Amino acid sequence: MIAICFVLGLLYGTYTAWTQGPHFAAQMSLLPADSNSVDGNSSSSGALGLIAGLTGTNLGSVPKFTQFLSALHSTGVAEALDKKYAMSCRVFSGYCDQKTHQWLRRDGWRAWINGVLAKLSGLPDPNGPYTPTELAQYIEGSVEVTVDKANQVVKLNYQSPKPQFAAQFLTLLVQTANDYIKSQDRVVLRQYVSYLAGQASTATNVAQRDAIDQLLLQQERKLMLTEVDVPYAASVLDGPTVLPVNKAPRMIAVYGVLGLIAGALITLGRRYLNLGFWGRRA
């Protein structure tokens, strides 16, 4: 029985690997963008610290690269990907017409069960179009982020059966996350510039006005960086490079082990229940 289950597990693993087809892994290496070196946000004693002193608030500082890594699987980035590139339709291509970008109705027993359970719970229809929130969840589960502790290089890994799409997906994800952080900083910096300009126009103390003018100049320079089309929070060190991934050996081994476990459990169950080979009581 153990041998039979083991062979069946190997056969099922082979069939699964064959039906899934080839897989490709797109990899990209990232480093913090050079613009961070001229950014005073990294220190609480910089421009933001002085602005906090003027406004009577306490501003924390988060490096742009850290914001970038957190934004990769954010809903805001997913919404931007959807708006610019219809990424939800491309990722969940089995449920969306690639020419018209019209969503198709999901059918089958699983979709029917999900619809019934959602209706019983008073929830929205789960079989409708995919939303940016679901795209963000997909990115979080599909894009692997690793940090090399030796040189602090961040590597992104994404697997797909389509090699060209895998490389393009990572490229667009990094570009959109950069633009997302840049747009957020642009809004904040404009507020800083507007506030400092107002303070400079009303300041009567010469030393105070000079200090505000210096802060205003710093913030205007940072605002200019958000208008330049260069990597803002993260720069690409290498990639994207696409390599084939051979999942067949691992998949066959996993199902073979599962077959062994199932065979052992069946054998123990037969012995415990005193059953014959075909399940009849001996």
Side-chain angles (χ1 to χ4, degrees):
M1 180 61 67
I2 295 177
I4 290 175
C5 291
F6 175 66
V7 173
L8 290 176
L10 294 179
L11 292 176
Y12 185 76
T14 303
Y15 171 76
T16 303
W18 180 71
T19 54
Q20 284 192 351
H23 258 70
F24 300 87
Q27 298 178 349
M28 182 180 287
S29 300
L30 304 176
L31 281 175
D34 293 338
S35 59
N36 288 336
S37 61
V38 295
D39 188 4
N41 293 356
S42 60
S43 173
S44 59
S45 62
L48 287 183
L50 294 176
I51 293 175
L54 290 173
T55 59
T57 58
N58 183 18
L59 298 176
S61 60
V62 179
K64 287 185 175 60
F65 195 56
T66 303
Q67 299 177 40
F68 170 84
L69 294 178
S70 300
L72 283 175
H73 51 79
S74 67
T75 305
V77 170
E79 289 177 348
L81 285 170
D82 254 353
K83 184 177 180 179
K84 293 182 179 179
Y85 312 107
M87 191 57 70
S88 289
C89 186
R90 298 174 64 183
V91 167
F92 306 106
S93 57
Y95 305 102
C96 184
D97 190 323
Q98 298 302 298
K99 294 182 178 179
T100 63
H101 293 169
Q102 297 295 318
W103 289 94
L104 307 176
R105 182 70 182 177
R106 281 176 264 180
D107 52 10
W109 63 270
R110 182 175 298 178
W112 180 80
I113 292 177
N114 291 337
V116 171
L117 294 177
K119 186 176 294 184
L120 291 175
S121 303
L123 299 175
D125 184 8
N127 299 320
Y130 281 94
T131 64
T133 301
E134 291 170 304
L135 177 60
Q137 294 173 349
Y138 171 84
I139 294 174
E140 183 177 10
S142 302
V143 179
E144 181 183 2
V145 181
T146 57
V147 181
D148 192 333
K149 296 182 179 179
N151 50 26
Q152 299 301 311
V153 174
V154 173
K155 296 184 178 180
L156 305 182
N157 186 293
Y158 172 70
Q159 294 188 9
S160 171
K162 304 174 183 178
Q164 293 182 349
F165 174 75
Q168 187 182 35
F169 179 79
L170 276 189
T171 301
L172 295 178
L173 176 62
V174 170
Q175 177 183 335
T176 304
N178 259 322
D179 292 342
Y180 179 73
I181 299 298
K182 183 189 295 186
S183 63
Q184 285 190 325
D185 280 4
R186 185 183 299 118
V187 172
V188 174
L189 289 170
R190 283 175 178 171
Q191 293 176 348
Y192 288 158
V193 169
S194 176
Y195 170 78
L196 290 172
Q199 290 293 314
S201 62
T202 58
T204 57
N205 185 282
V206 176
Q208 183 182 13
R209 186 168 60 247
D210 290 342
I212 294 176
D213 288 339
Q214 291 180 8
L215 289 176
L216 180 60
L217 180 60
Q218 291 179 17
Q219 298 306 305
E220 287 176 340
R221 288 175 178 174
K222 294 176 186 178
L223 182 59
M224 289 177 60
L225 289 177
T226 65
E227 306 292 342
V228 182
D229 189 16
V230 294
Y232 184 71
S235 60
V236 178
L237 179 64
D238 184 33
T241 57
V242 181
L243 299 173
V245 178
N246 189 2
K247 289 188 173 183
R250 181 180 178 182
M251 193 171 296
I252 294 173
V254 168
Y255 281 106
V257 171
L258 292 177
L260 284 174
I261 296 174
L265 293 176
I266 293 173
T267 302
L268 292 175
R270 286 175 49 243
R271 180 173 298 180
Y272 178 76
L273 297 175
N274 194 22
L275 299 175
F277 184 82
W278 299 109
R280 294 191 296 263
R281 185 171 297 277

